Amino acid sequence: MNFVKKGICYNKEKVMNLNRKYLSFLVSELLFLKDDTIMHLIPKTECQYNKIFAKLEDICNDLNLNIRIIRRKLDLLRECDSLYVNEKVEKEFKIEIEENKIKKNKRIFTYPFEKIPQSRKKKCQDLYRSLISKYSPKLYEFPLENFENIRQAFYAYDLVSLKNMDSYKSHLELKLSTKELENLRFRLEIEISDLYRSFPLNKISLLEDSDAIIYNLKRLENIYNDYVELYGSLEEALNISIAKSLS
C-alpha cells in the first residue's frame, strides 16, 4: 500500500515537472514571438502600409482639419470682429495642428533590414529562440543588461554576435511555480493579441489582399475629392463673410 502511494506521488510529481517544462517552453516561445513582432513585424508592416496609403491619408487629414478651421472661422465671424478671428482660431487649433505635424513626421517608410537574406533572418530567429530558452530573465537568474545585448543583436540580425552569445555560462532557473508560469503565459498571450489588434498589425489582412488595397485607395480618393470640393466652397463663403464684415 505504501509502495502504491509512493508510486502515485512520484507520478504526480513527474506530471507536474512535465507540465512545468512545457509551460516554460510555451513562455519562451511567446517571449520570442513578442520580441520578433515588436522589433520586426510591426515596423515592416507599418512601412508597407505607409508606402501605399500614408500620402493620401495625410492629405485627407490636412484637408479635414482645414475644413473644420474654416467652419470655425465662419461661426466666429457671426460673433466677433474679423480682426480677432484668426488669432482665436489659431489658439483653439494649435495643439491639433501640432499633433498632426508630429503624426506625419513619425511616419516610417523604410524598413532597415529589408535586404537581409531570409536565410540569415531564419538563422537569427532560431538562435534567438534558443537563447531565450536558456537565458531570458523572465525564466533564469540572468543579468538583464546582458540579455538586452542579446535582444539588440537579434534586432540587427547580427548572426555573429548571437553565435558568440550562445557561449554564456548556464544560469539557475527562477523558482517559478506552475501557477506563476501559467499567469506569465496568459499575460504574454494578451500582450501579443493586443499588438495584433492595433495599428499596423490590424492592417495585415488588408495588405495581403490586392482587391482590398485598390478598394481602399479608391475610397480615399473619393474622400479627397469631396474634401477639395467642400474646402473650395467654404473658402469662398469665408471670403464673402470677411468682405461683408469689413464693409
Side-chain angles (χ1 to χ4, degrees):
M1 187 69 178
N2 288 336
F3 175 76
V4 173
K5 284 183 178 179
K6 285 179 181 177
I8 291 171
C9 289
Y10 171 76
N11 285 333
K12 281 185 178 179
E13 187 178 339
K14 190 174 182 181
V15 169
M16 286 179 68
N17 285 336
L18 285 172
N19 286 341
R20 194 178 178 285
K21 284 182 179 179
Y22 181 62
L23 281 169
S24 293
F25 166 74
L26 287 178
V27 167
S28 67
E29 284 292 294
L30 289 167
L31 288 168
F32 165 78
L33 180 58
K34 181 185 172 183
D35 277 354
D36 190 40
T37 299
I38 292 171
M39 292 181 194
H40 299 295
L41 184 58
I42 286 176
K44 184 179 178 181
T45 305
E46 188 172 350
C47 286
Q48 188 181 357
Y49 181 88
N50 286 341
K51 285 176 182 177
I52 299 170
F53 296 105
K55 186 176 180 179
L56 198 48
E57 274 189 357
D58 288 341
I59 292 171
C60 288
N61 288 336
D62 286 343
L63 278 168
N64 178 271
L65 180 58
N66 288 327
I67 285 167
R68 288 188 292 112
I69 287 171
I70 291 178
R71 279 177 168 160
R72 180 58 178 151
K73 285 181 179 180
L74 285 167
D75 289 339
L76 287 171
L77 280 169
R78 300 186 188 101
E79 303 169 8
C80 57
D81 195 290
S82 60
L83 295 172
Y84 302 104
V85 168
N86 285 338
E87 183 181 345
K88 190 172 177 63
V89 168
E90 189 177 317
K91 285 181 180 179
E92 287 182 6
F93 285 87
K94 183 179 180 181
I95 293 175
E96 195 170 348
I97 291 170
E98 191 60 35
E99 286 176 348
N100 200 38
K101 286 180 182 177
I102 291 169
K103 183 181 177 181
K104 286 192 286 186
N105 290 335
K106 284 176 70 177
R107 295 269 200 190
I108 56 172
F109 294 89
T110 306
Y111 176 59
F113 310 112
E114 194 70 54
K115 294 182 179 180
I116 290 178
Q118 194 58 40
S119 57
R120 177 173 149 191
K121 290 180 180 178
K122 180 67 169 60
K123 287 176 183 176
C124 288
Q125 287 172 341
D126 291 342
L127 263 173
Y128 188 56
R129 262 194 172 99
S130 174
L131 291 167
I132 286 176
S133 68
K134 294 177 185 177
Y135 305 120
S136 173
K138 297 281 188 184
L139 299 169
Y140 295 90
E141 294 178 2
F142 189 75
L144 189 60
E145 59 273 17
N146 286 2
F147 193 75
E148 186 58 30
N149 293 334
I150 295 174
R151 289 183 80 252
Q152 288 305 313
F154 174 61
Y155 168 73
Y157 287 120
D158 186 346
L159 186 57
V160 174
S161 293
L162 286 171
K163 285 179 178 179
N164 291 335
M165 289 167 180
D166 201 17
S167 62
Y168 282 131
K169 66 177 183 179
S170 59
H171 284 70
L172 290 174
E173 200 170 351
L174 293 175
K175 294 179 180 178
L176 299 173
S177 66
T178 302
K179 185 67 176 176
E180 287 172 320
L181 284 168
E182 285 175 348
N183 289 338
L184 180 54
R185 172 195 171 187
F186 180 68
R187 288 198 303 273
L188 285 166
E189 286 176 344
I190 289 175
E191 288 171 10
I192 293 167
S193 179
D194 287 343
L195 290 174
Y196 274 83
R197 281 198 294 265
S198 305
F199 180 82
L201 298 189
N202 60 354
K203 302 296 183 182
I204 286 179
S205 58
L206 165 64
L207 295 172
E208 292 174 345
D209 187 338
S210 58
D211 289 337
I213 289 172
I214 293 168
Y215 172 82
N216 278 276
L217 282 172
K218 188 65 179 175
R219 179 182 60 82
L220 283 169
E221 286 173 8
N222 290 337
I223 291 171
Y224 167 76
N225 291 330
D226 290 343
Y227 279 170
V228 167
E229 185 177 347
L230 180 58
Y231 179 79
S233 62
L234 286 171
E235 194 173 38
E236 184 179 351
L238 179 63
N239 290 333
I240 292 170
S241 294
I242 292 171
K244 284 181 179 179
S245 68
L246 294 174
S247 60

